[in-house]
Amino acid sequence: MVAEAERQRAEPIRPTFEDLHQHVERYLDEAQVAEVRRAYTFAETAHRGQSRLTGDPYIIHPLAAAVSCAELKLDVATLKAALLHDVEEDCGISHGELAAAFGEETARLVDGVTKLGTIPWGDRSEAPGAEAVQAENLRKMFIAMAEDVRVVIVKLADRLHNMRTLEPLPAEKRVAVAQETMEIYAPLASRLGIWQLKWELEDLAFRYLDPEQYRRIARLVANRRATRERYVEQLRRKLEDALAAEGLAADVKGRVKNIYSIHQKIRKYAKQGRSFSEIYDLLALRVLVQRKEDCYNALGIVHVLWRPIAGEFDDYIGNPKPNGYQSLHTTVYWQGIRPLEVQIRTREMDREAEYGVAAHWSYKEGDAGRRPDEERIAWLRRLVDWQRDLSGAAEFVETLKADIFQDQVYVFTPKGEVKDLPAGATPLDFAFLIHTEVGYSCVGAKVNGRLVQLSTPLQNGDVVEILTSRTSRGPSRDWLNPALGYLKTQHARVRVRQAFRRQEREENIARGREQMERELRRLNLKLGEIEADLLRIAAHDTLDDLCQAIGRGDLSAHQVALKLATHALADEIPSGSEPLGQPARARDRAVTGVHVLGARNVLTRLANCCGPVSEDPITGYITRGRGVTVHRSDCRSIVNTAEPERIVEVQWGSAPGTHYASQIRIVGWDRVGLVRDVSTILADEDINMVGLRTDESGDGLVTLRMAVEASGVAQLQRVMTKVDAVRGVLSVERAR
C-alpha cells in the first residue's frame, strides 16, 4: 500500500495529452472533450520553443496542472484555464484574445491564476521590497479566490507540479518554495478539504525541508510495510465479514498515513516517551456505506467487534466541520491494547472528503455543474473582509498563517452555529470573531454555561456565550500582553491595536491643541483666526493632523509659534514657507551662536540656571566682565532682575551641528529598568546624557535629574514626550 501511494505521488511528472484524455472522457461529453483538446492545442502552440529548468517543453507544466484538475473531475472551464494559465504572462496573449477564443469565464479564471507581480512564489530575495511584493501577491490571490474558488484549485495544481519538479532549482530556492508550500498551500488545500493535494504537497515540502528525517521515515515505513499490510488485511476482512453478517453492504478499505503525518505522529509520541515501533495506528480502516443511517449501524458493529477507546469518538456527521467534512471517527483496541482508527461515511461523504470544495464543481449528467455553498468557504469570505482593515500585505499574511492555517477548534454559539478558531483560541478571540464591537464591550464569558476567565483556551464542542456591557470603556491594554494569554488570533490583536491607535490619536490631538493654544496666547494670537496660515507654514493638511504631530512629540508647539513669530503679521506669511522641522532663518541673524541686536563681536554664553536651547525664547543679560549671558525669557533671574537696564535683545544664530546643554527632571515610580528605558530613548534620539542624579523620596517615587545635550527645542520636546510614555513615569519637565 505504501508502494502504491508512493507510485501515485511520483506521477505524472511528464504527462501527455493522452493521460489527460483518459481522465476527462470518463465524465465529460464529446463536445467538452473537444473544447479541452482545443485549449491544449492553443497552449502548446503559444508555449512552443519555451522550456522549463528540467529541460522539458514548457507545455508539460500546464498539462500536468490540468491532469490534477481532471483527477478531481473539475468542470470544462477550469480544465481550459489550467491549460492556459500561463499564456497571458509568458506568451503575451491578451485577455481579449482568450475571451474571444474560449469564453469570458475561462479568460476570467486565467486572469485569477496568472502569476502576480514580478517575484516568483516562494522567493525570499533580499532585494528591497521583495517580501512586501510577495505578501501582496498572496493577498491578491486570496481576494481572487474569494470571487471564484476554482482559481485557487488551479493554483494548487500549478504548485503541485512545481513541487514535483523542484530538483533543478538551487538549494536555497528549493527550501524557500518548500517552506511556502508548507505554510500556505498545503494548509489551504486542507481548509478547502482537498486531501489528495494536501498530503502530497506536505510530503513533497517535507522532503526538502528535512530530507534526512524524510528518508528515515520512508525507510521505517518500508521496513515494516509487509507486517502492517498483513495486519490491515486481516482487520479489513474481519470487519467486512461482520458487516455482511448484519446485512449491511459496505466497502472496507485500508488507509496509509502520508510521511509528513507519520513525522508529526513520531514527534507527538516522542513527547510521551514512546518510539516508532509503538505506533500501531499508522494504518486505518475506512468504511463506505450507502446511507447516513447506515453509518451509525456500522459504528455499532465496530464497537461490538472491538472495544472503543474512551474519548476517542467524533461525530462529524451530526456536527460537520465548517469546511463541509462529514464522517464518524472512532478508535478501538485490537489484540489487547493496539489502537486502530476507523472512519465511517457514505460514498458521497467520501467524495466530499477527498475532493473537498472541488467536489461542488464536478460535472454530472444533465447538470452543468454545482456551485460550492457559501458555508464551505465562509472562512474565506471572512478573511477577505478582514484584509480591508489590515495595515498592509505583510500583516495580512501573518493573519493568514496565525488565524486560518493553524489547527482548528470548532465551537458553538448559544444558537447552535458552528464557529472555527485556531487551536488555543480564547473566549475573547471568539468575541472578536462574532463582531468587533462585541469584542470591545466584552466583560466576561460563559463556556458550557459556566463563567470562565477570558484567557481560557476553548475546546472542540464548547458552547460559548459572551457577556457584554454598554458601559465598557473598551479594550484593555492587558489583552495585548502575550504573557497573559487573552488573545490567540492575529485578527483580534489587530482590532485591539486599532482601537488604541484611534484613542491615542484623539488624546494626541487634544494635547497638541492645548500646547498650541498656550504658545499662541503668548503671541496674542488665537488659533481660529490663523488656522489657514498655520497649516500652510507647518505643511499639514488639517488642524487635527498638526495637533496630533505636536501631541505625539514629532513637532514642538513652541517651534510652530517661533516660525510664526519670524513674520510681523500672519498675513505676511509667504505661501512658499519652508516646512517645520528646520530652524527659521531670520535675515539679521549671526552665522553662528547668538546674535546681540545692535552690537557685533560681543562675547556670549548660555546661562546654567535655565539651560536655554536652540529656538527657546531668549533674553540677554549684560554681565560685568563676562559679556552677555543668555537666559530663557521666562527665567526667574530675568523676570525678577533688579537692574532691567542690563537686559538686551538677542536672537539665535544659525549653527548647524551645535548641541546645547539642558536639564530634564523626571519623576516616576522606582522600578528596575527605569533608568535603562529612559537612557534607551535618549540614545535612539541621538541625545548625549552628560550627567545623572537620582533622589529617592522613600514613598516609592524616584526623581531623575539628567543633564543632556540637545540640538534644539524640537528634539528636546520630542524626547520628553517619549519619556513621558515610559511605564512608571509620572512627569517630565525641563529643570530650572
Side-chain angles (χ1 to χ4, degrees), residues 132-186:
V133 173
Q134 182 202 34
E136 183 61 28
N137 286 347
L138 286 171
R139 173 152 72 171
K140 288 178 181 177
M141 185 183 74
F142 279 86
I143 294 172
M145 170 182 156
E147 295 174 357
D148 194 327
V149 75
R150 291 175 294 177
V151 168
V152 82
I153 299 176
V154 177
K155 195 69 182 177
L156 288 172
D158 168 86
R159 174 51 62 105
L160 178 60
H161 187 252
N162 283 336
M163 290 300 299
R164 287 171 172 170
T165 56
L166 204 57
E167 199 61 39
L169 292 179
E172 65 275 9
K173 286 267 190 173
R174 293 199 298 266
V175 171
V177 174
Q179 187 68 45
E180 187 179 65
T181 299
M182 190 67 84
E183 290 179 355
I184 300 292
Y185 289 94

